[in-house]
Amino acid sequence: MDSNPPHLKTNFADNDRLQMLKNAFEKKYGKSPKFYAHAPGRVNLIGEHVDYCGYSVLPMAIEQSILAAVSVNDSETIELANTNPQYKDFRVSGTEEIDIGKDNPQWHNYFLCGVKGIQENFSLPSLVGMQCVVDGTIPASSGLSSSSALVCCAGLVTMEANEKSLSKVALAEICAKCERYIGTEGGGMDQSISFLAEKGTAKLIEFNPLRATDVQLPSGAVFVISNCCVEMNKAASSHFNIRVVECRIATKMLAKVKGLEWKRLVKLAQVQTELGASLEEMLSLVEEVLHSDAYSRAEICQALGITPEQFSTDLLSSNTQHVTHFKLYQRARHVYGEASRVLCFKSVCDSQPADSIPLLGDLMKESHASCRDLYECSCPELDQLVDICSKAGAVGSRLTGAGWGGCAVSMVPSDKVESFIRTVRETFYAPEPRRAAMEKQSLFVSKPGGGATIFIEE
C-alpha cells in the first residue's frame, strides 16, 4: 500500500477527457503538457465527522475527479487556469512565501494549499515554474470532496514538477495538514482515500498511524449518489469548525472527570485509549458525565478551571470565536456511536452473512438519524432526499460528507437500481427547475475507483 502514486503511459485516443484537456492546454499556452495529474473525489459510506476525533472511516473513491495538465519551465512562476470559465486564472511567484486567503476562499486557494504543503515538506526555497490547466468533474460543495481532491491534485503536481518523490501515505498526510491553511480543521479522510484508493474496493481508513484496509462490499447491491443541490462550503462557513471545537471541549470535560491529563488530550478517541474502555463504555460515560442542555462558556470554564481568555485562545478556532453555547453531550454521543457503526459495517462486509445487505442498510439509517438529530449536520432538503431514497427502494440511505447540504448515498439492490433512479428523478428533481437542470451530474451509480495517478501521453 505505501508505494508511490503510479505513473501510467496512456493512449489519449482511448480517453476523451484527457484529450479535451490537452486541447484546452494547447489553446491556452501554445504547447503540450509534460504530464497530467489525477485525484479522485470520494463518497463516505459510513463514519461521518469522526476522522478528526481519531476514529476510522469507510469511504471509497468515485469516478469523478480533479485532473490537471501541467508543463514545467524555469520562470519560477505558477500559472493556473480552469476549464470552467467561472473559475478565474491566477498566477503567483514560486520564489515568495505563498499566502492563502481564508476569507471567501477561491478555487486557486485550495490548489495553493497543495503547492505550499509540498514546498514546506521539502524546505524548497523556490519552486519550478508551472503552467496548469485544471478540469473538475466533482460537483462543488456537494460533500464528495471536490476541495480536498483539488488540494491532493496540486500536491501531486507540485511534487512531480519539482522532481521529488513521496509515498501515497506521505502525500495523504501532507495534504491533510496543508488543507488546514484554508481554515478547515478536517481529519484526513478525504486526502487519504484520494491517494490510497484502489479500484473495486472500499477502504477502512485508520489514523495514527495512517493505514488503509480493503473492504469488499457485498455483491447484489450498488451505491447511488444523489445531490440535494444545496451547496455547503466548509471553509467559507463556521458550521464544520464549531463541531470540531465541541468535540475538543467534550474530550477535555470527559478526561478531567476521569482524572486524565486533560490539557494534552484533544480527540475523543484519545479518552477511550487512555481509559482502555470500549465504545459502549464511552457511550455510558457520556450519559453519566455530560448533560443534554447546551453548555455556556462560563460553565465550561468553571468545570475546567480556566479563564475566559484561556477558553478563547486554547479551545476555539479563529472562526468560532463568536459561539456562546456548545452541545457537548450530543456531539460526543454521535462520535462514539458512529465509530461503533463503522466497525460493525466492516465486520458485516468481512463476514458476508446472508442478510448482509439489510444489516448494512440499517447501519446507514442509524448513521443518518445520528447525523440529523445529534450532530445536527443535515438540512431539510437532505432529509427530504434521504426519505425519498428510502421510499424508492434503498435498503439504507444517509448523508455523506460534511453535511448541511451536499449528497446522500443510498445502498440499492442491483435489481432495483433503474426503478430507484427513475423514482428519485421524478419525485425529487423533476418538480423543481433548478434541481432538474442539475440532475444529470447529481444522480448516479458509483463503483469503487482507483487513487491519485500521474498520466503520461504515449
Side-chain angles (χ1 to χ4, degrees):
M1 179 194 75
D2 196 10
S3 56
N4 293 8
H7 288 60
L8 298 181
K9 287 194 172 180
T10 304
N11 184 340
F12 283 21
D14 303 327
N15 192 311
D16 290 344
R17 188 176 171 208
L18 279 168
Q19 186 61 55
M20 286 170 62
L21 184 56
K22 179 187 178 183
N23 295 344
F25 187 96
E26 290 174 342
K27 184 179 178 183
K28 178 78 177 174
Y29 296 119
K31 57 181 160 182
S32 295
K34 182 181 180 183
F35 67 89
Y36 301 77
H38 161 269
R42 62 95 191 97
V43 58
N44 191 25
L45 301 179
I46 197 159
E48 227 56 75
H49 288 280
V50 298
D51 57 341
Y52 54 78
C53 295
Y55 284 110
S56 305
V57 291
L58 211 154
M60 68 182 191
I62 58 176
E63 186 179 294
Q64 288 78 355
S65 66
I66 302 293
L67 186 64
V70 188
S71 70
V72 177
N73 56 59
D74 56 8
S75 69
E76 295 185 327
T77 299
I78 298 167
E79 298 179 67
L80 303 177
N82 199 300
T83 57
N84 186 332
Q86 80 178 75
Y87 300 128
K88 303 304 179 192
D89 292 4
F90 185 80
R91 59 191 295 153
V92 64
S93 170
T95 61
E96 299 169 10
E97 184 176 352
I98 293 172
D99 179 47
I100 295 167
K102 291 185 181 181
D103 299 326
N104 190 28
Q106 303 300 307
W107 79 275
H108 62 261
N109 296 120
Y110 292 96
F111 195 97
L112 293 179
C113 284
V115 174
K116 189 178 175 84
I118 297 299
Q119 182 178 26
E120 291 188 344
N121 181 76
F122 288 106
S123 302
L124 299 173
S126 64
L127 293 164
V128 70
M130 296 190 294
Q131 291 174 314
C132 308
V133 177
V134 175
D135 178 68
T137 54
I138 311 167
S141 302
S142 63
L144 300 177
S145 194
S146 58
S147 53
S148 295
L150 182 53
V151 174
C152 291
C153 187
L156 188 57
V157 163
T158 308
M159 179 195 78
E160 185 73 10
N162 286 273
E163 298 181 344
K164 300 296 180 184
S165 179
L166 288 165
S167 70
K168 297 175 191 176
V169 166
L171 277 162
E173 291 178 331
I174 289 165
C175 289
K177 184 179 175 185
C178 70
E179 189 168 333
R180 293 172 193 155
Y181 293 135
I182 209 93
T184 305
E185 297 192 41
M189 166 178 62
D190 301 347
Q191 302 82 3
S192 300
I193 191 64
S194 195
F195 283 108
L196 301 176
E198 292 180 68
K199 194 169 184 177
T201 179
K203 293 281 186 178
L204 180 77
I205 307 277
E206 300 170 88
F207 303 96
N208 302 312
L210 176 60
R211 56 196 185 277
T213 307
D214 289 358
V215 178
Q216 284 305 140
L217 300 170
S219 57
V222 298
F223 290 92
V224 181
I225 296 169
S226 49
N227 190 347
C228 80
C229 304
V230 174
E231 291 191 357
M232 159 56 184
N233 185 324
K234 288 189 294 189
S237 65
S238 58
H239 297 302
F240 186 90
N241 281 358
I242 290 170
R243 297 298 182 274
V244 177
V245 163
E246 287 174 318
C247 291
R248 188 182 301 150
I249 297 169
T251 296
K252 295 183 181 298
M253 297 282 276
L254 293 171
K256 190 162 193 292
V257 164
K258 298 303 288 184
L260 304 175
E261 293 179 47
W262 61 271
K263 288 185 178 179
R264 68 175 176 81
L265 301 183
V266 293
K267 298 180 180 180
L268 286 165
Q270 294 172 323
V271 182
Q272 183 192 359
T273 301
E274 295 270 326
L275 293 175
S278 67
L279 286 164
E280 290 71 24
E281 287 167 335
M282 293 310 299
L283 284 165
S284 298
L285 182 63
V286 169
E287 297 288 342
E288 177 190 324
V289 171
L290 300 175
H291 58 66
S292 59
D293 293 337
Y295 284 75
S296 67
R297 289 184 175 215
E299 186 177 4
I300 295 165
C301 288
Q302 184 177 4
L304 295 178
I306 58 176
T307 66
E309 293 72 28
Q310 287 172 317
F311 179 88
S312 293
T313 304
D314 298 344
L315 297 183
L316 300 183
S317 57
S318 59
N319 69 343
T320 58
Q321 295 290 328
H322 64 286
V323 184
T324 59
H325 286 80
F326 305 84
K327 294 188 175 182
L328 309 185
Y329 166 83
Q330 291 85 346
R331 310 316 183 219
R333 246 191 80 189
H334 166 77
V335 169
Y336 289 128
E338 187 77 347
S340 178
R341 283 185 285 275
V342 171
L343 298 181
C344 289
F345 198 100
K346 165 88 164 43
S347 176
V348 171
C349 288
D350 288 347
S351 58
Q352 298 277 341
D355 58 347
S356 59
I357 291 173
L359 285 173
L360 297 178
D362 287 345
L363 289 168
M364 292 174 72
K365 291 176 189 173
E366 291 169 18
S367 174
H368 183 76
S370 184
C371 288
R372 181 191 64 215
D373 301 335
L374 294 175
Y375 223 70
E376 296 177 281
C377 61
S378 190
C379 67
E381 296 85 353
L382 205 41
D383 291 336
Q384 179 198 8
L385 178 56
V386 166
D387 186 52
I388 286 170
C389 289
S390 297
K391 290 173 180 171
V395 292
S397 186
R398 58 179 294 278
L399 68 83
T400 184
W404 298 286
C407 288
V409 57
S410 301
M411 190 178 194
V412 182
S414 302
D415 59 357
K416 292 185 179 177
V417 173
E418 285 187 25
S419 64
F420 172 85
I421 289 177
R422 185 172 59 249
T423 302
V424 175
R425 179 186 295 130
E426 292 170 355
T427 313
F428 186 78
Y429 291 99
E432 293 210 10
R434 180 174 168 273
R435 289 180 188 168
M438 297 172 66
E439 184 248 316
K440 190 168 271 190
Q441 69 266 28
S442 296
L443 180 63
F444 53 91
V445 176
S446 187
K447 296 176 182 175
T453 306
I454 296 287
F455 291 114
I456 312 288
E457 186 175 12
E458 276 185 343

